[in-house]
Amino acid sequence: MEIDIGNALESVATPGVSREALERLDERVAAAHDRIEAGIDEREHGYAALALPETADPDAIRAAVDPIDCDTLLVVGIGGSALGAATLADALDVDIDVHTLDNVDPEHTARLLDSLDLSRTALHVVSRSGTTAETLANFLVAREAMDSAGVDWTKRTLVTTGEEGNLRDLAERHDLPVLDVPAGVPGRFSVLSTVALPVAALGGGDVEGLLAGAGAEAETLSGSLFETPAYAYGATTYALAGRGWTVNAMMPYAESLETFAEWFAQLWAESLGKDGVGQLPARALGATDQHSQLQLYRAGPRNAMVTLARPRERTDLTIPETELEGLAYLGGASLGELLDAEFEATEASLAAAGRPSIRIEIERVDAHELGGLLYVLEAACIVAGELFSVPTFEQPAVEWGKRAARGLLGGGEFEEARAVEEKTRLVID
C-alpha cells in the first residue's frame, strides 16, 4: 500500500506543509511511535487494537459461527459494533446477504424485518456492555419478529459482548454461541476482531487474509513518517488541520469501499474531535461525488482536504463503440480507464486550485489489502491523536448523549436528561 502526500506540500497547496515542517514534525512522530509501541506491547486500552493481527483468533470465530446456517445475516449493533461488519461485507462481497440494524428508526426496522425470510436469517448481536439501548431494543424487536414467525431465535443468534452484563447473562441462559469483545479495544477500532470478523467467517470471506494484511502493515510501523504509511497519513492530516484544513473528505474510487468511508468517518470523528481540535470527516464516492461535492472542495471555503483512495487492479468492462460522434472517444476504452481518468482529473483539479489532497492506493480490493488499509488508518488515527494531544480512545460527548437518552426513557436520574427541558425555542409555525 502506498500513501502519496505530495499534493499536501506547500508547492501545491495554499497553505500546504513544507518538507522542513514535516522533518521537524518527524521528531514528534518518533516520540509518538515509542508511546504507541509501548501501548501495543502492554496491550493498553486503545493501543491493544493494533495488536489484533497477532491476538485475534480465527479458529474461535469459526467455532462460534459453525452451528449457524443462514442466507442472511442481520448485524444488530451501533457505531463501531456495526460499521466494521458492514465494511467487510460490502468490500469482500461475501456469499450471504448482510444487513445492519444500527438505528432505531421504527419504520426502517419494520420494513427490513418484513423483507427478510427470518427462517433463513441469523442475528449477530454486538454490545460490549450488554446494555447499549439502541442495540438491545432492536434485538428485542428482531427476537419478537422471529418468535411471531415461528422461528427459534436461540438457534440463529450469535452474541459478541463483554465478560458480564445483560447480554452475557442472556447468552448463558439460552446457551447461545458467544464471543468475547477483545479487552482494551474500543468499538471503532474493533473491525479486525470478534466484533466484525464473524461476518467474513459466515460469508466465506478470508479471515486469515484480513489479519495477514493488517499484520504486514503492522510490520511497517517505525519511528519516522517517511518510512511508515500510517504515520505519513496521520502526521500530514494533523499538519494540514493546523493550517486550517479542518475537513477531511474520504473519497474512495470503488463502490465496494463506500461503506469503508462511513467507517473512517466514525474512526476520525469520535477519536480526534476533542478539546476544540480534530478534523470533520466527510464521506464521498468517486466518481459519483465529482458531480455533487467536488465543487465545494475545489471552490468553497478553504477548509477541506480530500483523501483519494483507489485500487490499482479491478475487474473491468469495455465500453462499446458508438455511432454518436461526440462520444466516439469512449469507444474501445474501459470503465476502469474512465474511472482512473476521473480519479486523476479530480486530484489535478484540486491541486490546480491550491487545495490539498492525499492519495491512498492499494493493489486491489481483497481481504489482504483491505486488512492492511483498515490497519493503516487505525494507526494513522492513533498517531494523529498523539500529535493533537487528545484522549484518542475516549468519547465523552457520546457518553453524555447516552445518559441523557437513558434518563428520558426512565432508566435512572441523569443530570444530562434535564438539559432537554432547558432547550431554547423559537418556533416558526
Side-chain angles (χ1 to χ4, degrees), residues 254-267:
E255 289 276 343
S256 60
L257 294 178
E258 184 174 14
T259 310
F260 154 77
E262 295 187 35
W263 171 87
F264 171 81
Q266 185 200 3
L267 179 76

Side-chain angles (χ1 to χ4, degrees), residues 100-151:
T100 56
L101 271 181
D102 60 349
N103 203 345
V104 286
D105 180 337
E107 292 186 351
H108 168 73
T109 300
R111 281 196 302 269
L112 178 58
L113 291 173
D114 286 345
S115 72
L116 301 178
D117 178 358
L118 296 178
S119 69
R120 296 296 303 158
T121 298
L123 305 178
H124 183 200
V125 189
V126 186
S127 170
R128 177 188 297 275
S129 67
T131 60
T132 308
E134 298 91 343
T135 300
L136 272 294
N138 274 329
F139 170 55
L140 293 173
V141 170
R143 186 177 76 172
E144 183 177 70
M146 283 185 157
D147 277 338
S148 297
V151 176

Side-chain angles (χ1 to χ4, degrees), residues 352-420:
R355 309 298 177 107
S357 65
I358 296 177
R359 178 192 286 209
I360 299 177
E361 290 187 300
I362 59 176
E363 288 302 314
R364 65 195 66 82
V365 181
D366 64 10
H368 188 278
E369 294 292 296
L370 180 63
L373 177 64
L374 296 168
Y375 188 93
V376 160
L377 287 171
E378 288 183 349
C381 183
I382 292 172
V383 81
E386 298 290 331
L387 297 173
F388 277 118
S389 298
V390 295
T392 306
F393 309 115
E394 298 177 10
Q395 49 280 332
V398 176
E399 299 304 325
W400 194 101
K402 287 181 179 180
R403 291 190 295 271
R406 186 168 181 177
L408 290 172
L409 291 170
E413 289 292 328
F414 295 93
E415 180 182 351
E416 292 83 355
R418 289 194 288 274
V420 177

Side-chain angles (χ1 to χ4, degrees), residues 70-96:
C70 65
D71 298 324
T72 299
L73 179 66
L74 185 56
V75 179
V76 186
I78 195 166
S81 295
L83 279 171
T87 296
L88 298 187
D90 290 346
L92 298 180
D93 192 25
V94 294
D95 59 17
I96 57 173

Side-chain angles (χ1 to χ4, degrees), residues 6-17 240 245 302 351 353-357:
N7 279 3
L9 298 177
E10 64 177 4
S11 58
V12 177
T14 309
V17 186
L240 288 171
W245 304 103
R302 302 188 71 84
R355 309 298 177 107
S357 65

